[in-house]
Amino acid sequence: FNIPFQREFFMSDVFVSAKLNVDLEVVTENMSWTAWTRVWKGEAGIFQWAIARVDDPELWGPAFDYESRVRVLLNGRIALEENEWRQGVDLPYEGGLASKIILDRWLNGDKNKIDDFNGSFSIIIIDEKSQKIHIWSDRFGFIPLYLYEKREVLFCSHPDILSRALRCSGMSCEIDKTTIAEFLRTGSAIHPYSYWKEINQCDPGTNYSLTVADNSINCSKRQYWGLQNYKGPYLSDRKEIVSKLTYALKSAIRKRTLPRLGKISVLLSSGADSRTILFGACNPEKVLCHTLFDERNEELLGSIALAELANAEHKHHKREVNYYFNHASEAIRISGGMWSIDSAHYGGLATELKNAGVVLTGCYADYLLKGLAYSRTHVKIFGKNLPIYKLIKPETEFYQPFSEINPSWEHKVSQRSREYFSSLDFDAENTIAEREYLRLAPLSREPDSSGRLFLGRTVGHDFFMADRDILDLVASIHPKQKLNGIPFGMAVNNIVGKKAKHIKNNNYGTPVGSSELKRIFYFIAASLKRKL
């Protein structure tokens, strides 16, 4: 836990301390992964802060108003329409355009105006005059944020940087072995625990407020958005679902591919999710596509064909045999070690993508719009699994299989899980959305998260699935409609259009937008072909 940080990669992180005087040089050194990382830091009364970014400071740097002495720090990204960006150009504040827009809404409105911001972010507003700090986590916890709360209060986007700052200030920070056991058993850990007993992850969709009173810190919170209380009614009409998904996906991608944002890069496969970005972008022909591959197979050939149809430039990168082992240490260090190295797909791409502009992937469509977090099993025919699912009675395991560990530690892990889900009636259909939310949120904890965290801390990465229009649909689509991702595929087909219809979804070997019956037909046909 004291391995020095390597300087090969760079990082985007944020740090705030209240009442504990930390060495900001230590904090910023751990945030500065290369000579070209941009770091801002400062002090305001009993508050200290630091932020590092790897992207354009003119767009994404912090902002400050000298008259009100209010400062905005933005980790991650907000998503705006072009007219909203234009309105911020002439604002009289110092700093990055996105942060100036946040600052202006704060100075001319109330907390609700900050609640309305869209995207994957942590927003920190520091009021130096009143000695108050207000912090917003994004709706589904795409961007991690951790909290230490005792007499002092500290926030940081990386738990190891936070623990190091505490220990350098003489504070205790003890390893949580139950969380380690939980990772070994399940591949992740129940919210809000981290590897450090004193450090917990912040809740998603939550506004935290720090105020000074009688030389003490009061930390309060309120939830401004959440799906865990959704009880219906569900959207069941498939045409309506497809129509709303089509609009939400197109809107989300448009806002993240505006010409104002500069270069656009897509990590492209021949599945359904990433092609949505390519063909939904404002200017598909100006998108730069990147594909990782091991051998020249159908996945690679499909991505090449998609890029050609969009008239987009395409680069493909061959992974060496030991790719995941060679980049394992960086993946563990950058992600905080709470996720598996076999999901760290982008370890060898950081240098290639450092000047790639906005980097978009199809991440989290499976989790949010295809029922990956449901308790489900394959439909079978003649004992063989078909590529469609049916709902089953809720089980402890979902998606990622659990591993056996020492029984005494397994008991502690199970106890945590029982406590976390204790409020749910597992037999009630109307709690399916709530179970899904509790399993997924914050999304930065899910078992595949190491790859997403690596991207978020090394390049100008953004999540189009974090868009509010999409998230508002997550719980409202009927589970039986969402279960196999069929409406999602049909919405993708609406965006991609007929010209790419012949390039099959490589995950199923079917045209994008296929129904359940068509997916089964192609599966059986492919099986018969293999046997012949």
Side-chain angles (χ1 to χ4, degrees), residues 14 34 46 74 108 133 139 220 247 270 296-297 302 317 358 372 387 402 414 435 451 477 503 511 515 521 526:
V14 68
T34 67
I46 64 170
L74 173 63
N108 294 286
I133 292 183
R139 288 172 177 76
S220 60
Y247 171 82
S270 58
R296 195 173 177 84
N297 55 18
H317 312 272
V358 184
L372 201 66
F402 287 10
S414 298
R435 289 200 303 271
I477 298 174
I503 303 174
S515 65
F521 170 79

Side-chain angles (χ1 to χ4, degrees), residues 376-403:
R376 62 183 191 175
T377 189
H378 282 281
V379 175
K380 296 180 183 291
I381 184 170
F382 304 125
K384 299 289 186 181
N385 290 338
L386 293 175
I388 58 171
Y389 296 89
K390 63 180 179 180
L391 293 169
I392 59 173
K393 187 173 181 179
E395 298 176 337
T396 304
E397 295 184 37
F398 71 99
Y399 178 47
Q400 294 278 19
F402 287 10
S403 301

